[in-house]
Amino acid sequence: RATMKILVSACLLGENCKYSGGNNYNQAVCDFARGHQVVPVCPEVLGGLPTPRPPAERQPDGRVVTREGGDVTAEYRAGAEKALELARAHGCTLAVLKERSPSCGRGQIYDGTFSHTLIPGSGVAAQLLETQGIPVYGESRLDELIGQLSAEG
Ligand code: SF4
């Protein structure tokens, strides 16, 4: 099958860049990534945030705020822009990003109240990538993606 260049959330590959200091290692993502050229990114780290860092959620107005009330929108935006720059510089045609993250989540994110309530919406980086023409798949949609790619040959 054809090798593609794919932007991937670094935490899915096992990098300890998650807000808690851990990772979101995903065996299926790693297996899939092995056949392609992968560009690992963590938009929150690219935006200058430390690890570990306070958990943050998007607010209804689009800002990103930590549980303690700190506005980190600028860092999230900067990280999203850097992820997009990297995707373009490497010619990535799609992205596999961690679901529900205020940066990487696509289609569903937490509602901003820190109560584990999901609402429709996307993280800052996922949203930017998609509006710039780079489709984003969450880890639970990997089978769907692999099916589409094999149908395309
Ligand atoms: Fe993973 Fe994305 Fe969060 Fe970084 S910003 S830890 S890559 S979900």
Side-chain angles (χ1 to χ4, degrees):
R1 72 185 169 163
T3 299
M4 294 181 306
K5 292 187 181 164
I6 303 170
L7 201 72
V8 181
S9 290
C11 61
L12 288 172
L13 301 170
E15 200 171 303
N16 290 329
C17 52
K18 200 179 158 178
Y19 74 90
S20 61
N23 61 68
N24 295 306
Y25 179 80
N26 184 295
Q27 186 66 55
V29 171
C30 290
D31 289 346
F32 173 70
R34 210 160 287 136
H36 299 284
Q37 278 176 266
V38 165
V39 178
V41 289
C42 176
E44 292 170 24
V45 170
L46 287 173
L49 292 167
T51 308
R53 52 190 170 275
E57 292 186 4
R58 282 199 99 171
Q59 302 300 309
D61 62 6
R63 288 182 311 130
V64 187
V65 173
T66 68
R67 194 161 51 198
E68 293 77 27
D71 190 325
V72 283
T73 310
E75 287 85 348
Y76 275 66
R77 287 212 182 119
E81 293 285 350
K82 285 190 178 163
L84 175 63
E85 274 170 35
L86 278 168
R88 285 188 173 145
H90 290 275
C92 294
T93 50
L94 62 95
V96 175
L97 301 185
K98 177 73 185 81
E99 289 166 352
R100 298 179 293 279
S101 152
S103 289
C104 292
R106 182 224 182 251
Q108 214 183 26
I109 51 171
Y110 293 110
D111 70 351
T113 63
F114 299 93
S115 61
H116 306 288
T117 309
L118 289 164
I119 52 167
S122 290
V124 181
Q127 185 178 5
L128 181 65
L129 289 162
E130 284 220 318
T131 58
Q132 297 299 315
I134 298 173
V136 175
Y137 288 80
E139 66 275 19
S140 75
R141 291 179 63 215
L142 207 55
D143 286 345
E144 183 190 329
L145 171 61
I146 291 166
Q148 278 178 20
L149 293 173
S150 58
E152 287 167 16

